[in-house]
Amino acid sequence: DAGVIQSPRHEVTEMGQEVTLRCKPISGHDYLFWYRQTMMRGLELLIYFNNNVPIDDSGMPEDRFSAKMPNASFSTLKIQPSEPRDSAVYFCASSPPRGVDNEQFFGPGTRLTVL
Amino acid sequence: SQQGEEDPQALSIQEGENATMNCSYKTSINNLQWYRQNSGRGLVHLILIRSNEREKHSGRLRVTLDTSKKSSSLLITASRAADTASYFCAIMNSGYSTLTFGKGTMLLVSP
């Protein structure tokens, strides 16, 4: 079974450009999480969805960031306009319907560099 | 928000030795999880311990949880070069649905 799929794996763009990151969660998982990882701040939760509905976006740093989940198998994280301080690795993770255990399954990440 | 803090930040050992990493937190938890991240890759779940459990084993991994001290430890026995990675603890707070990750311990296992 395929794991969480993210694309692109690497993105280099110039300041001011729009960036769209994509994620396909594991089939049957109803939670989807977007994280950002930097050396300074570690792994930060940006937003998460349950059954395609955004539940908590308090981690989204600014209005320049937006996320959507139009269906159970696809989500996007968009940054418009991008800035150099947005450079980081962005991870998508999914987890199955909640029981007692709730491990998260991470994608390989998208390394974003904004020049 | 609540965040686990790992200790040490970095650990360097020889193959065959044991590696111990610690995690401290501040509030009540639902469970605590440990993840591994190899360089340039995503995080991989290793083990979960619930708030009413004190110890768990999985292969060469042993996790303990002391809720009175608000701390957990991850022990990797008979380490291998392939164990070289960063290890993160993640807190599932009581009443929440999300994990809060620490900044990790970088483990280097030399052949």
Side-chain angles (χ1 to χ4, degrees), chain B residues 14-89:
Chain B
Q14 299 291 122
E15 262 191 330
E17 295 180 339
N18 295 342
T20 299
M21 289 158 270
N22 303 296
C23 173
S24 60
Y25 57 92
K26 295 180 179 178
T27 63
S28 60
I29 63 171
N30 181 309
N31 65 64
L32 185 147
Q33 304 179 28
W34 286 91
Y35 288 76
R36 183 188 73 227
Q37 183 179 31
N38 290 88
S39 181
R41 310 287 285 272
L43 280 74
V44 174
H45 181 265
L46 294 176
I47 195 165
L48 178 154
I49 188 164
R50 302 186 185 94
S51 60
N52 62 352
E53 297 176 316
R54 292 296 167 259
E55 186 172 314
K56 259 186 129 168
H57 296 256
S58 177
R60 294 183 297 112
L61 305 180
R62 172 176 169 253
V63 170
T64 61
L65 179 65
D66 187 334
T67 52
S68 66
K69 295 182 179 178
K70 292 185 167 54
S71 68
S72 173
S73 67
L74 171 67
L75 169 67
I76 304 174
T77 60
S79 63
R80 307 166 182 168
D83 295 327
T84 294
S86 291
Y87 291 82
F88 296 85
C89 71

Side-chain angles (χ1 to χ4, degrees), chain A residues 54-83:
Chain A
I55 303 300
D56 184 354
D57 65 354
S58 60
M60 297 285 261
E62 299 171 32
D63 291 344
R64 298 184 295 107
F65 286 69
S66 62
K68 294 182 180 179
M69 191 165 186
N71 57 63
S73 58
F74 184 65
S75 177
T76 60
L77 177 67
K78 185 175 295 187
I79 308 173
Q80 165 65 17
S82 58
E83 296 183 3

Side-chain angles (χ1 to χ4, degrees), chain A residues 40 98 100-102 104, chain B residues 33 35 37 50 97 103:
Chain A
M40 289 295 295
R98 287 296 161 86
V100 177
D101 296 342
N102 41 27
Q104 294 183 13
Chain B
Q33 304 179 28
Y35 288 76
Q37 183 179 31
R50 302 186 185 94
S97 299
K103 291 194 174 181

Side-chain angles (χ1 to χ4, degrees), chain A residues 12-86:
Chain A
V12 180
T13 190
E14 293 189 345
M15 185 174 68
Q17 297 298 306
E18 177 180 298
V19 175
T20 299
L21 311 181
R22 297 173 175 79
C23 175
K24 176 179 169 57
I26 294 172
S27 177
H29 285 191
D30 63 351
Y31 280 85
L32 184 138
F33 307 84
W34 282 101
Y35 292 90
R36 178 173 68 177
Q37 186 177 40
T38 61
M39 288 294 292
M40 289 295 295
R41 300 173 69 91
L43 197 65
E44 302 173 281
L45 177 65
L46 300 177
I47 185 172
Y48 80 96
F49 296 82
N50 179 222
N51 291 319
N52 313 338
V53 176
I55 303 300
D56 184 354
D57 65 354
S58 60
M60 297 285 261
E62 299 171 32
D63 291 344
R64 298 184 295 107
F65 286 69
S66 62
K68 294 182 180 179
M69 191 165 186
N71 57 63
S73 58
F74 184 65
S75 177
T76 60
L77 177 67
K78 185 175 295 187
I79 308 173
Q80 165 65 17
S82 58
E83 296 183 3
R85 60 193 167 124
D86 301 331

